[in-house]
Amino acid sequence: MKQEDTFFQYFSRRGVSRRAFLRFCAVTASAMALPAGAGQALAAALTAAPRPSVLWLSFQECTGCSESLTRSGEPTIEGLMLDHLSLDYHHLLQAAAGEAAEEVRLSAMAENAGSYVLVVDGSVPTGAQAAWSTIAGVSNLQMLTEMVDGAALVIAVGTCASFGGLPAAAAICAESLSQSGATGVGELMDTGVVATRPLVNIPGCPPLPEVISGTIAYFLAYGAVPEMDALRRPTAWFGKTVHDGCPRRHHFTKGHFALAYDDAEASRGYCLYKLGCRGPETYNACPSLKWNLGTSFPMHSGHGCLGCSMPGFWDRALAADASGFTGSGFYPDAPPMK
Ligand code: SF4
Ligand code: SF4
Ligand code: F3S
């Protein structure tokens, strides 16, 4: 269905005040380190821009990405945006099923050819002629191939879609990688299996919803993808490590480490590095955005970072633990324990 109303009209109808809308634009512009006045420019663009058609494909995934993005809690602009974006086609959330769902997908593709945003969560199985996961008799790989062509922007949501993630982890099933050939969208583009289109990776297991809504808002306002690093991650949210913003960082600097989750040092809030925290090598915005409506993130609740937004998650974690990992091997500059 062709989208006619703008984001702001959509938000207004759902009770979002102009003030809250402007705040969202200002916070997004600030998080992306855009120049002065960019918040107003973003608001003006979203006020005028028609809502894009968004088609959301769920492949080899656990539903965690969608669950995270549609989390319960007070309605937020991010939540409304994501609720709204799911309307055209979303395997998990749409009401249509069977042939009706396929008709929706095909008509949305035809009516919005060249302009829709394609969101993918889950990895793409490439083994056994891509037969490991099919929808309506169409393999995930074939569906991605068909739908990438007409997309103006592709967003790989979550570590599975970005880098293969858990379905590619040999530790989950010794043969899983070789059998299902779980692959991220970017690798399929880079190797010419599917067409190359503007692609943004938003890794995380699951990813932070504010990063997705901010990326889409930026694309609508500027007609381009935000600045990205070599792994196609927006630098605004993936430019710093979790370690950089961790509230336990001063303990790390002083060499104050917990050695067990229930020891006296852990109860004092000491650094979790020697318990395997991957914060120093993990790029994500968890310390600034936090989870559950900005309530907390792993180090607030006493657990180290698992590196869930990085390539190689989960295998790297298990391989390190099996070798008696204590943290120091990953960060040679770690201060001595005191
Ligand atoms: Fe699930 Fe994590 Fe993959 Fe998202 S990235 S589909 S939460 S396993
Ligand atoms: Fe925080 Fe982990 Fe860095 Fe320690 S190692 S300061 S717990 S991110
Ligand atoms: Fe994932 Fe580490 Fe954030 S485990 S949720 S990147 S703190």
Side-chain angles (χ1 to χ4, degrees):
M1 59 238 52
K2 194 85 178 165
Q3 304 294 332
E4 299 298 344
D5 54 351
T6 70
F7 264 112
F8 183 64
Q9 286 167 332
Y10 173 79
F11 293 143
S12 296
R13 280 193 279 110
R14 279 151 183 80
V16 175
S17 67
R18 178 87 186 155
R19 187 189 185 91
F21 175 72
L22 292 174
R23 192 183 320 122
F24 164 78
C25 294
V27 168
T28 299
S30 166
M32 300 186 79
L34 298 177
Q40 286 141 318
L42 201 57
L46 289 181
T47 300
R51 293 187 290 135
S53 175
V54 174
L55 307 179
W56 187 302
L57 301 176
S58 297
F59 292 151
Q60 271 189 319
E61 47 83 37
C62 75
T63 316
C65 285
S66 291
E67 292 284 350
S68 167
L69 303 174
T70 56
R71 67 201 185 286
S72 57
E74 67 180 77
T76 61
I77 289 186
E78 290 83 10
L80 284 175
M81 185 181 270
L82 294 162
D83 262 0
H84 164 59
L85 294 180
S86 71
L87 286 181
D88 275 346
Y89 185 77
H90 189 300
H91 294 163
L92 179 69
L93 301 176
Q94 68 197 9
E99 290 177 1
E102 280 307 284
E103 282 170 22
V104 169
R105 178 175 75 87
L106 296 173
S107 64
M109 279 172 64
E111 290 175 23
N112 301 283
S115 66
Y116 58 79
V117 176
L118 184 65
V119 179
V120 180
D121 73 313
S123 62
V124 185
T126 59
Q129 298 178 318
W132 283 90
S133 177
T134 64
I135 298 160
V138 181
S139 75
N140 293 169
L141 182 58
Q142 181 60 30
M143 191 173 281
L144 179 69
T145 303
E146 288 171 10
M147 296 185 72
V148 156
D149 275 341
L153 170 68
V154 182
I155 303 178
V157 165
T159 302
C160 294
S162 299
F163 308 127
L166 286 173
I172 297 296
C173 165
E175 301 299 328
S176 71
L177 179 58
S178 58
Q179 287 189 3
S180 82
T183 306
V185 175
E187 186 177 336
L188 294 172
M189 285 189 184
D190 291 343
T191 53
V193 176
V194 302
T196 299
R197 293 287 180 273
L199 169 68
V200 181
N201 283 331
I202 303 183
C205 189
L208 290 154
E210 292 87 348
V211 179
I212 299 170
S213 56
T215 299
I216 292 173
Y218 184 95
F219 180 76
L220 290 178
Y222 298 99
V225 297
E227 181 187 316
M228 297 190 287
D229 64 13
L231 294 176
R232 297 186 172 102
R233 303 173 297 191
T235 53
W237 293 287
F238 292 93
K240 291 183 178 172
T241 64
V242 168
H243 185 63
D244 287 334
C246 180
R248 297 173 188 251
R249 177 67 182 264
H250 62 289
H251 286 305
F252 175 91
T253 305
K254 292 175 186 165
H256 293 164
F257 298 108
L259 295 179
Y261 286 110
D262 58 354
D263 68 10
E265 286 72 25
S267 68
R268 285 190 205 114
Y270 277 18
C271 173
L272 303 167
Y273 184 66
K274 304 243 176 223
L275 289 167
C277 178
R278 264 73 179 174
E281 58 169 11
T282 301
Y283 289 81
N284 207 346
C286 305
S288 56
L289 294 177
K290 304 186 179 68
W291 291 91
N292 300 319
L293 304 174
T295 305
S296 69
F297 76 114
M299 279 65 111
H300 272 156
S301 55
H303 201 288
C305 173
L306 297 172
C308 79
S309 59
M310 297 300 287
F313 176 75
W314 171 263
D315 287 340
R316 287 181 72 183
L318 287 191
D321 286 346
S323 65
F325 174 62
T326 59
S328 56
F330 275 77
Y331 197 80
D333 297 333
M337 184 136 176
K338 291 177 188 162

